Amino acid sequence: MARQEKPQGRKRSAAQQLNLPDASHRMRVRATWMYFIEGRTQSEIAEILGVGRVTIVRLLADARRRREVQITIKAPLVEVTEIERELETRFGIEQAIVAPLSDAESDPGQVIAAAAGSFISQAMRSGMTVGVGWGRTLYSALPFITGRTLENFRVVSLLGGISQARRFNPAEFAWQFNELFQGEGYLVPAPALVDSPETKYALLERCGIAQVFEMADSLDIALLSVGGISTLTTSYRVGHLSEAERRSLIEAGAVGDILYNFIDETGALVDHPVNERAIAVGIDRLRRTPQRVLISGGPEKIPVLQGAIRLLEPTVFITDEVTAGSLLA
């Protein structure tokens, strides 16, 4: 009688038997190390590892989702707490979060990003609809956010994209943010700034953009930043505004923008044609959002922050101690 063979399971590789990491795990760890420890850009890492930059973005997002990367900064200071309470009292803010800054001359972007990442990690919940803006500080907060899988979680980009920008594109930030929580992402398939009001309204009515913006009526929280105008900040470096337009906006009283809505120091929208060309969620919709989180700082942002706080009436304001001191002064 023929001998019956016992059914065999899938044969494990030598690496699996020895509990060694596979190639994909090794690449993810290498990419994570080079990005967070060596400080290399995503493009540099892609070239070193011989893959596309999109692959690096996914590897980094996967590492954060797996909690293989956790960056925590805890520095409770009495002086900072006093400043936070004064900001809350002076401007009617529910919660002010002030990041310590050891050198008043240094760029506060990274410390603000770390504080923002910690807040965002704790604030995100299943069932939320989150509106996201853009900017260098928001983008820099991504490594400090602890991602996890959330159910019925939606991320809505609040303005159009910027084709020239490689790192600070609103669409890329919204996508990477959504990847951290494995939600549903809604992007705006149009430029952030178009050539005329007629083009803007045609895109809103005929390309489905209005439907995306209507989702802003049901936001639970909006993550926003501001842009200054006195220097060549992100939006101007990528060429959406000419130097002549920038100077014209300044002459009209603009001190900066919220999602390409240019405002003056009192928080009023300036009377300028550029404000009619922005593909972005309107300020009125943002003001109706239950939680409005304003994340920004730096000496060039003081005037626009003064206006933005008056206009948006943020429920949460995250900044650095030097910026906070200047606002209170």
Side-chain angles (χ1 to χ4, degrees):
M1 186 169 75
R3 197 175 89 187
Q4 290 185 336
E5 296 288 341
K6 292 183 179 180
Q8 299 291 323
R10 181 177 295 175
K11 187 176 181 180
R12 301 177 72 213
S13 68
Q16 288 173 323
Q17 294 176 34
L18 294 173
N19 198 30
L20 296 176
D22 59 22
S24 61
H25 174 79
R26 190 178 296 109
M27 179 176 287
R28 187 173 68 249
V29 172
R30 289 188 66 195
T32 304
W33 178 271
M34 285 188 279
Y35 188 76
F36 291 104
I37 304 302
E38 297 181 12
R40 294 182 181 272
T41 66
Q42 293 172 357
S43 297
E44 289 172 340
I45 298 169
E47 185 175 351
I48 292 170
L49 297 182
V51 297
R53 194 174 69 87
V54 172
T55 299
I56 300 303
V57 171
R58 289 174 177 165
L59 288 172
L60 295 174
D62 195 25
R64 288 192 289 265
R65 187 167 59 252
R66 292 168 180 264
R67 299 191 179 185
E68 294 171 344
V69 177
Q70 294 187 8
I71 304 172
T72 305
I73 296 180
K74 295 181 179 179
L77 299 175
V78 173
E79 296 86 352
V80 168
T81 302
E82 290 177 355
I83 294 173
E84 290 172 343
R85 289 298 300 131
E86 191 170 353
L87 283 171
E88 292 164 358
T89 303
R90 176 84 64 87
F91 298 110
I93 299 168
E94 291 180 13
Q95 182 181 10
I97 300 172
V98 175
L101 188 64
S102 57
D103 182 2
E105 300 299 320
S106 63
D107 181 2
Q110 200 69 2
V111 298
I112 298 172
S118 178
F119 170 83
I120 292 168
S121 299
Q122 298 175 39
M124 298 301 103
R125 299 285 186 274
S126 292
M128 272 188 166
T129 299
V130 183
V132 296
W134 80 306
R136 183 170 61 92
T137 304
L138 283 177
Y139 187 91
S140 298
L142 287 171
F144 299 98
I145 299 173
T146 302
R148 58 195 181 279
T149 300
L150 297 178
E151 300 297 327
N152 195 27
F153 186 83
R154 293 166 298 278
V155 176
V156 182
S157 181
L158 299 176
L159 75 165
I162 295 178
S163 58
Q164 299 97 321
R166 295 183 178 180
R167 296 185 62 195
F168 308 129
N169 195 316
E172 181 164 340
F173 171 75
W175 175 56
Q176 290 195 45
F177 182 84
N178 183 62
E179 281 284 294
L180 287 171
F181 300 101
Q182 293 296 284
E184 297 178 5
Y186 297 87
L187 305 181
V188 180
L193 201 62
V194 293
D195 59 355
S196 68
E198 291 75 21
T199 300
K200 171 182 176 177
Y201 293 121
L203 287 170
L204 288 174
E205 296 301 322
R206 300 174 189 172
C207 299
I209 297 172
Q211 285 79 4
V212 176
F213 284 170
E214 284 171 4
M215 295 184 70
D217 291 331
S218 58
L219 294 178
D220 296 293
I221 186 170
L223 306 177
L224 305 164
S225 188
V226 297
I229 198 171
S230 61
T231 58
L232 295 178
T233 53
T234 303
S235 58
Y236 315 117
R237 283 202 302 268
V238 298
H240 264 100
L241 288 180
S242 67
E243 177 61 17
E245 286 175 319
R246 186 182 76 87
R247 291 183 178 278
S248 176
L249 278 162
I250 293 173
E251 290 172 3
V255 292
D257 73 288
I258 309 166
L259 302 179
Y260 273 116
N261 294 280
F262 286 88
I263 62 174
D264 64 21
E265 201 165 348
T266 69
L269 289 168
V270 298
D271 183 13
H272 195 280
V274 168
N275 275 343
E276 301 298 320
R277 294 162 41 203
I279 305 292
V281 169
I283 296 296
D284 288 343
R285 274 180 164 152
L286 293 177
R287 283 170 55 89
R288 292 195 294 267
T289 303
Q291 280 192 282
R292 302 171 300 283
V293 184
L294 182 58
I295 304 168
S296 194
E300 78 285 356
K301 302 286 185 67
I302 301 300
V304 67
L305 279 172
Q306 290 174 332
I309 290 171
R310 293 188 178 97
L311 179 60
L312 281 177
E313 298 180 343
T315 57
V316 179
F317 177 40
I318 305 175
T319 192
D320 67 277
E321 61 178 316
V322 175
T323 299
S326 296
L327 289 169
L328 292 170

